[in-house]
Amino acid sequence: MNDICKNEEWLAAYLDKQLPAQERSLFEAHLSHCPSCLSELIAAKTELDEMAAEESEALAARAHAGEPRRLRFSPLAASLSLAAAVLCAGAVFLSIRSAALDREVASARGNVSRILATADIGLMRLSGGPERPVARSVAYRGTGERAGDAFGMAEESLKAALAKRGNDWRFFALLGDLYMADNQIERAEIYYDQALAMKPADARLLNDRAAAAYRLGKFDLSRRDLESALAADSTRIEALYNLAVLRRETGDRAGAARYFDSYLRKDPSSPWAERARTLKNE
């Protein structure tokens, strides 16, 4: 039932009576033991009923007043108008929910980005990471117990979002980024795995799981993910950069140089390019 819970598309289709019989039965079975989805359905249905009642009253009022040059009130016309209103309301409901979700994701991404901007996650580059590399240190800055309120607030907010919207891969990915920033690499990998289970060919997620695998010494998995990321999206320059880092780490200096050169042709002047030149020449 995980694909059904908090699924706005199913909810809108159910309200519009557009769900096929099998899916409708599954959805109704889910509603019988999910108070949260049932509450959302009741709220949406109440809003639609109020809109339908207002539309029906307006049609009846015009017919009773005998407004000139208007079509006579027809139950069929009223039914068709009501059906159109319901369909439109269902689409509006879905659009509003989608916009609210996008705002929630954008806010969470901003919080995580601010934390990543001061975290030393190692040599590799995350897709949602900072625009410039953090100064390298002897030990990784993350400790697994990151001080300050920012990390705890971001973690709490993302977990609350997952509790409400467990079918959205973006919150899993952001938790992965957050745990990378805090040096909790095993936990980061778990959340990237869950995000990829929902969106298996996403180049951004493949790149970021590769960064976690690299930190855990899983070089074969890291290489496969990076190659898959570039196959899915050849413009993903951070995957190209990370492949160069991986080749360098595994002793393939010639391969690393080729990948660094390919990266620098696409990104010659950013702060990350400076890091690439340094690593290539070390």
Side-chain angles (χ1 to χ4, degrees):
M1 294 292 178
N2 289 339
D3 291 339
I4 300 175
C5 192
K6 302 292 185 182
N7 189 319
E8 288 91 349
E9 292 182 4
W10 279 55
L11 178 57
Y14 183 81
L15 288 168
D16 296 342
K17 295 182 169 47
Q18 298 297 310
L19 272 183
Q22 183 177 0
E23 283 82 354
R24 187 177 184 85
S25 296
L26 285 172
F27 189 67
E28 289 173 344
H30 175 73
L31 290 173
S32 67
H33 62 77
C34 182
S36 178
C37 283
L38 182 59
S39 296
E40 289 197 15
L41 176 67
I42 292 171
K45 183 67 167 59
T46 299
E47 184 176 348
L48 291 177
D49 288 345
E50 290 173 354
M51 292 175 62
E54 291 175 3
E55 176 70 13
S56 183
E57 289 173 5
L59 287 170
R62 286 199 297 269
H64 180 73
E67 295 179 2
R69 313 303 293 176
R70 293 284 186 93
L71 290 175
R72 182 171 57 85
F73 175 75
S74 163
L76 176 59
S79 297
L80 291 173
S81 178
L82 176 58
V86 169
L87 287 170
C88 180
V92 169
F93 171 78
L94 182 58
S95 176
I96 291 172
R97 290 294 302 276
S98 178
L101 177 59
D102 288 344
R103 287 194 298 271
E104 191 173 353
V105 170
S107 175
R109 183 174 291 121
N111 292 336
V112 173
S113 294
R114 283 189 287 274
I115 292 170
L116 280 171
T118 60
D120 181 3
I121 64 164
L123 294 179
M124 283 201 174
R125 181 178 178 181
L126 291 181
S127 297
E131 294 182 359
R132 62 181 62 248
V134 175
R136 294 167 63 184
S137 56
V138 175
Y140 291 116
R141 192 172 303 174
T143 63
E145 298 177 353
R146 193 168 179 81
D149 294 335
F151 175 84
M153 291 175 64
E155 181 184 38
E156 182 179 349
S157 174
L158 284 168
K159 287 190 172 181
L162 275 183
K164 292 189 299 180
R165 309 180 187 279
N167 62 339
D168 194 299
W169 63 271
R170 293 174 293 183
F171 291 113
F172 287 100
L174 286 169
L175 270 167
D177 292 348
L178 185 67
Y179 288 127
M180 284 291 286
D182 197 44
N183 200 32
Q184 299 185 55
I185 312 303
E186 292 87 354
R187 297 186 75 178
E189 185 183 38
I190 289 170
Y191 281 100
Y192 289 143
D193 283 344
Q194 291 175 294
L196 277 163
M198 300 178 184
K199 204 171 175 64
D202 187 84
R204 172 212 188 283
L205 294 174
L206 288 164
N207 176 79
D208 292 353
R209 185 174 67 177
Y214 169 82
R215 286 285 306 278
L216 294 170
K218 300 178 180 179
F219 296 150
D220 286 341
L221 172 59
S222 184
R223 176 185 52 78
R224 288 197 301 271
D225 277 352
L226 291 170
E227 290 174 350
S228 296
L230 286 173
D233 181 2
S234 61
T235 67
R236 185 63 61 177
I237 59 172
E238 61 268 28
L240 196 59
Y241 173 94
N242 289 343
L243 264 172
V245 170
L246 180 62
R247 295 276 184 169
R248 177 181 178 275
E249 177 68 22
T250 54
D252 182 4
R253 307 290 295 191
R258 286 196 302 273
Y259 278 111
F260 277 130
D261 287 341
S262 296
Y263 169 78
L264 288 167
R265 283 194 293 271
K266 295 185 177 183
D267 182 28
S269 57
S270 77
W272 285 98
E274 296 176 20
R275 167 76 65 88
R277 291 188 184 93
T278 299
L279 292 174
K280 178 186 173 183
N281 296 322
E282 281 183 348

